[in-house]
Amino acid sequence: MTLANKKVAVITGGAMGIGAEAASALASDGHHVIICDINTTEAERFAQHLRDQGFCADAFQIDVGTPASVSAAFEWVEGKFGRCDVLVNSAGIAKTMPFLEFDADVFNRTMLINVTGTFLCCQLAARIMRKHGFGRIINIASVAGMRAVGKGRTAYGTSKGAVIALTRQMAVELSEYGITANAIAPGPVDTPMTKELHSDEFRKAYSNAIPAKRYGTTREIAGAVSYLASDVSAYVNGIVLPVDGGFLAWGAGDI
Ligand code: NAD
């Protein structure tokens, strides 16, 4: 397939973890993937890794919390490819601390990256998608946006709840342009983020609260991304798809 007729997928936070695996899956599905990340070194390295496997991939530096940086990235994408068919918002940050001591700056920073950043990327991508009458927006939310997952997630859980609300709003307003917007709510997944955030004790307790009794894999989240980005998901719009080993289904532990 030539560059001209390949679908283009932009993945924020695509250099690592869930975003990187989503980029891999979309590349094998035939997309030209753009790895957009604040970490340029890792983004370039990962794009090269995909190219070495014969896929079409580029890297572009983005800080989703800086409007000018988001604009520059989407201007570059439109200038170079003329299209943006798929957007996966995986860039995100998480810091935990008790509610009564929660630092307002950390709260604001989390909302800036996880919510405003997602909003800005969605808006600019959707403006390009609208010109082609096709688009797939996939936001990586979290089960923490649907339930309070343990203590300390005041900013993170709130931000992911907002991402879910944003997704539903876009599903309603963008449908007429052939654009769908859906969210995925992963349970815990082994990534650089959780390696830093989850202690051994937390990991054990969390696994026990999940019917599957384990963390998910990035591949299991990427499978959902792949489906929601595909042509056959056209009638799926505004959903939150939990990929959580049954965590949200479970209410009362081992009784
Ligand atoms: P990660 O920390 O392993 O990777 C996040 C990526 O985002 C990194 O490459 C990082 O450089 C990039 N990033 C951070 N800030 C950025 C910014 N301002 N602009 C652009 N890029 C930025 O995280 P992950 O575990 O792969 O998580 C990916 C997404 O999935 C996040 O939104 C996270 O909240 C969500 N999520 C993760 C889990 C989990 O258990 N890992 C569970 C539910 C939801």
Side-chain angles (χ1 to χ4, degrees):
M1 204 180 248
T2 64
L3 190 75
N5 57 15
K6 258 193 187 297
K7 281 190 176 155
V8 171
V10 170
I11 302 98
T12 74
M16 268 181 263
I18 290 170
E21 196 73 46
S24 240
L26 293 174
S28 8
D29 291 344
H31 294 80
H32 189 123
V33 295
I34 319 297
I35 313 297
C36 285
D37 205 285
I38 199 164
N39 186 334
T40 327
T41 313
E42 280 306 307
E44 293 285 0
R45 190 200 58 75
F46 189 60
Q48 185 59 53
H49 167 73
L50 290 176
R51 287 194 295 269
D52 290 344
Q53 292 176 270
F55 297 125
C56 294
D58 280 289
F60 198 89
Q61 199 202 9
I62 193 172
D63 173 5
V64 299
T66 302
S69 170
V70 178
S71 297
F74 284 94
E75 270 166 31
W76 179 81
V77 169
E78 190 171 23
K80 179 155 179 168
F81 303 99
R83 58 196 293 168
C84 172
D85 303 279
V86 177
L87 168 68
V88 180
N89 284 298
S90 192
I93 56 171
K95 234 182 192 162
T96 54
M97 62 187 83
F99 173 78
L100 290 173
E101 279 87 51
F102 211 97
D103 184 87
D105 289 339
V106 172
F107 187 88
N108 287 337
R109 175 92 191 137
T110 309
M111 296 301 279
L112 175 70
I113 304 303
N114 295 4
V115 186
T116 311
T118 299
F119 156 68
L120 290 171
C121 291
C122 288
Q123 188 182 54
L124 294 186
R127 285 179 183 160
I128 304 172
M129 291 168 176
R130 178 175 55 176
K131 295 179 189 169
H132 299 271
F134 177 90
R136 295 280 184 269
I137 293 173
I138 301 153
N139 291 328
I140 308 299
S142 169
V143 290
M146 302 167 87
R147 282 176 76 180
V149 179
K151 293 177 180 164
R153 284 165 177 70
T154 295
Y156 185 72
T158 304
S159 75
K160 293 301 184 177
V163 166
I164 290 168
L166 170 70
T167 305
R168 291 186 177 129
Q169 191 63 37
M170 291 190 299
V172 170
E173 295 200 26
L174 300 177
S175 178
E176 65 183 288
Y177 307 114
I179 302 168
T180 62
N182 293 292
I184 295 172
V189 179
D190 269 316
T191 66
M193 179 188 271
T194 46
K195 274 193 182 78
E196 195 185 312
L197 204 66
H198 296 184
S199 65
D200 288 348
E201 201 185 2
F202 180 87
R203 186 174 285 268
K204 207 170 154 204
Y206 202 169
S207 298
N208 266 329
I210 300 169
K213 300 290 177 206
R214 65 170 176 87
Y215 275 32
T217 64
T218 52
R219 186 71 201 96
E220 287 164 334
I221 311 303
V225 171
S226 198
Y227 167 66
L228 291 173
S230 71
D231 288 345
V232 292
S233 72
Y235 204 54
V236 178
N237 197 14
I239 67 153
V240 187
L241 174 60
V243 183
D244 67 349
F247 172 74
L248 289 175
W250 205 13
D254 279 320
I255 57 169

